[in-house]
Amino acid sequence: MIILPLMQHAPGFLKLVNEARPRVKEITVDDARERLARNPKAVLLDVREDSEWLAGRAVQAVHLGKGVLERDLEKTVPELETEIIMYCGGGYRSVLTADAAQRMGYRRVFSLIGGYKGLVAANWPMAK
């Protein structure tokens, strides 16, 4: 078993996340499950890098990496009223992408607390 060290985030990155966090609605894995079950049009959006996506992802997730989100979100999710639940590796990048999507006019955007790690811990169905 390989044990990876905890990722240390740079202070500037954490500053950006903490500035965006009050503007973003964060939800738990249980909230996400309930929202996706209740709304078949809701989108679970994986905003991680391509290599992370290829290594493993939530079964029903759609991929749109953080690096191309602003460029491609309107093509991927054309309706501004679509409920979007964004996740990254641990819940930091998804705060930034949720904030960006809201600034683009999306009104029902959420960031998943704990991200991919939280989904794995909750035994969310995964694909590779």
Side-chain angles (χ1 to χ4, degrees):
M1 179 174 167
I2 298 172
I3 298 175
L4 299 174
L6 290 176
M7 179 178 283
Q8 296 288 60
H9 293 298
F13 172 72
L14 291 175
K15 180 178 182 283
L16 287 175
V17 171
N18 288 330
E19 286 172 355
R21 186 165 266 139
R23 297 187 298 267
V24 172
K25 294 178 190 126
E26 294 182 279
I27 63 172
T28 66
V29 171
D30 288 338
D31 293 334
R33 250 191 257 270
E34 188 262 318
R35 286 178 174 282
L36 291 165
R38 186 180 66 222
N39 180 1
K41 293 184 179 183
V43 176
L44 182 62
L45 191 64
D46 186 322
V47 299
R48 298 175 304 150
E49 297 295 322
D50 293 348
S51 61
E52 294 172 290
W53 166 260
L54 292 172
R57 61 192 170 274
V59 169
Q60 72 271 48
V62 173
H63 183 241
L64 189 57
K66 181 182 179 301
V68 296
L69 182 102
E70 294 87 349
R71 184 191 75 194
D72 295 348
L73 184 58
E74 292 166 304
K75 287 184 268 182
T76 305
V77 183
E79 285 295 321
L80 295 177
E81 289 300 324
T82 301
E83 187 171 5
I84 306 170
I85 301 167
M86 297 183 175
Y87 76 88
C88 59
Y92 293 86
R93 290 173 287 174
S94 59
V95 167
L96 297 175
T97 56
D99 187 47
Q102 288 175 159
R103 286 185 279 129
M104 292 174 68
Y106 290 86
R107 294 178 276 283
R108 299 175 65 204
V109 183
F110 304 91
S111 173
L112 185 69
I113 298 167
Y116 180 78
K117 293 173 193 157
L119 292 171
V120 170
N123 295 313
W124 196 281
M126 295 291 167
K128 286 197 178 211

